[in-house]
Amino acid sequence: MIPADIDLTRVPAHIACVMDGNGRWATQRGLKRTEGHAAGEEALFDAVEGALELGVKWLTVYAFSTENWRRPLDEVRYLMGFNESILVRRREELREKGVRIRFAGRRDWRVPKRLIKQMDESMARTAHCTTMTLVIAFNYGGRAEIVDAVKRIIEEGIPAHKITDKTIAQHLYLPDMPDPDLMVRTSGEYRISNYLLWELAYSELVFADVLWPDFRREHLIDAVRQYQARRRRFGGLES
Ligand code: IPE
Ligand code: IPE
Ligand code: MG
């Protein structure tokens, strides 16, 4: 149930989440960091439920950054296997809810082949779903995305004088993805950490003071409440 003070006609079309704080959540409980990642699964699926209840059309979640390779090998390995397992175990449920699964990020040699296979399989099985799109930012970096876009623009031989904002946007990983209206980061860190650098240009930012494994749909709804109290101006004046 969505609280009555939420205006369902003014729900953000696209919410982007930085799922941060899994390691600290685990450490606080005397657990291994990887157990914090495991506990994050429930938070993710509750957030998906909340987004569906709100009628959000796009939900993007930061699952692994291009900088997360700097972590210890066992944690990186765990995250590769864990993401593969989530896709295999839960894509059917997402399909039944009308959720289309897509990915944003670099498919480089470091991403295990079997994970790539499950990513492709998950996209194919949910390609027809239209209720909401869940974008999983995996091996994603905002700078890498812009670099990759610039490379493709040059490869296509587009002359400099023809390049506009639109040219860049059309060469990002998901050209049909609208810019996020709202970005929510958990864990009390007030930074972007190389997330959606181009796309966040005019997004409203909300920082939730919970660690990701404790995040539930109520927190998402509260972020939307804060969003609805903001006045977006896009550099202009309020009408
Ligand atoms: C976010 O939680 C998940 C990933 C980066 C994969 P962290 O693992 O960053 O948890 P903290 O920030 O160290 O607590
Ligand atoms: C951002 O969190 C990446 C993900 C949530 C996947 P990090 O934990 O990697 O970011 P920093 O290191 O605190 O900036
Ligand atoms: Mg972190």
Side-chain angles (χ1 to χ4, degrees):
M1 265 285 281
I2 302 296
D5 66 323
I6 299 291
D7 179 353
L8 289 173
T9 68
R10 285 179 53 240
V11 166
H14 182 183
I15 302 181
C17 291
V18 179
M19 309 188 286
D20 193 27
N22 297 350
R24 277 165 281 172
W25 183 93
T27 306
Q28 282 174 5
R29 287 164 177 74
L31 304 169
K32 288 184 287 183
R33 288 180 53 84
T34 51
E35 294 181 73
H37 299 312
E41 179 175 341
E42 195 179 336
L44 170 61
F45 282 81
D46 210 67
V48 166
E49 285 297 327
L52 287 167
E53 284 177 13
L54 283 159
V56 168
K57 296 306 287 180
W58 292 76
L59 179 68
T60 299
V61 294
Y62 208 178
F64 192 87
S65 78
T66 46
E67 286 68 42
N68 287 148
W69 297 105
R70 294 181 186 151
R71 297 192 178 194
L73 190 58
D74 60 344
E75 183 171 344
V76 168
R77 275 211 191 108
Y78 176 88
L79 287 168
M80 296 297 140
F82 179 57
N83 277 281
E84 182 190 336
S85 134
I86 287 192
L87 292 176
V88 173
R89 286 184 290 106
R90 309 215 53 176
R91 65 185 165 215
E92 186 54 28
E93 176 188 335
L94 290 171
R95 192 188 63 77
E96 282 166 11
K97 293 188 163 108
V99 178
R100 175 172 69 153
I101 304 170
R102 312 252 324 250
F103 296 90
R106 262 190 189 159
R107 290 186 159 215
D108 62 30
W109 57 273
R110 297 175 294 186
V111 183
K113 289 243 163 35
R114 41 187 294 180
L115 173 53
I116 299 266
K117 190 166 161 267
Q118 297 307 339
M119 288 162 74
D120 287 339
E121 184 74 29
S122 304
M123 281 195 285
R125 288 195 194 197
T126 61
H128 62 285
C129 296
T130 55
T131 306
M132 183 174 83
T133 302
L134 173 66
V135 178
I136 303 175
F138 193 85
N139 193 20
Y140 175 87
R143 289 186 174 179
E145 182 176 36
I146 295 169
V147 168
D148 290 350
V150 169
K151 282 184 182 163
R152 287 190 34 236
I153 290 167
I154 292 170
E155 277 163 13
E156 287 172 23
I158 302 176
H161 72 270
K162 288 243 167 98
I163 294 175
T164 63
D165 282 15
K166 208 168 160 194
T167 320
I168 308 275
Q170 282 169 345
H171 289 80
L172 298 176
Y173 294 134
L174 298 172
D176 57 329
M177 181 180 88
D179 289 345
D181 303 290
L182 169 63
M183 197 266 322
V184 185
R185 182 174 187 148
T186 56
S187 93
E189 305 290 359
Y190 303 123
R191 56 179 173 259
I192 303 294
S193 299
N194 202 17
Y195 196 34
L196 303 172
L197 292 183
W198 179 275
E199 297 89 331
L200 289 176
Y202 272 103
S203 308
E204 293 298 327
L205 310 181
V206 169
F207 297 93
D209 210 6
V210 286
L211 301 172
W212 179 257
D214 292 327
F215 192 82
R216 290 296 176 272
R217 69 189 80 182
E218 291 71 28
H219 298 102
L220 190 77
I221 293 166
D222 188 57
V224 170
R225 183 178 286 116
Q226 293 185 53
Y227 167 85
Q228 292 190 340
R230 309 262 178 100
R231 293 291 161 255
R232 301 181 79 185
R233 285 186 288 273
F234 300 96
L237 298 177
E238 256 179 284
S239 51

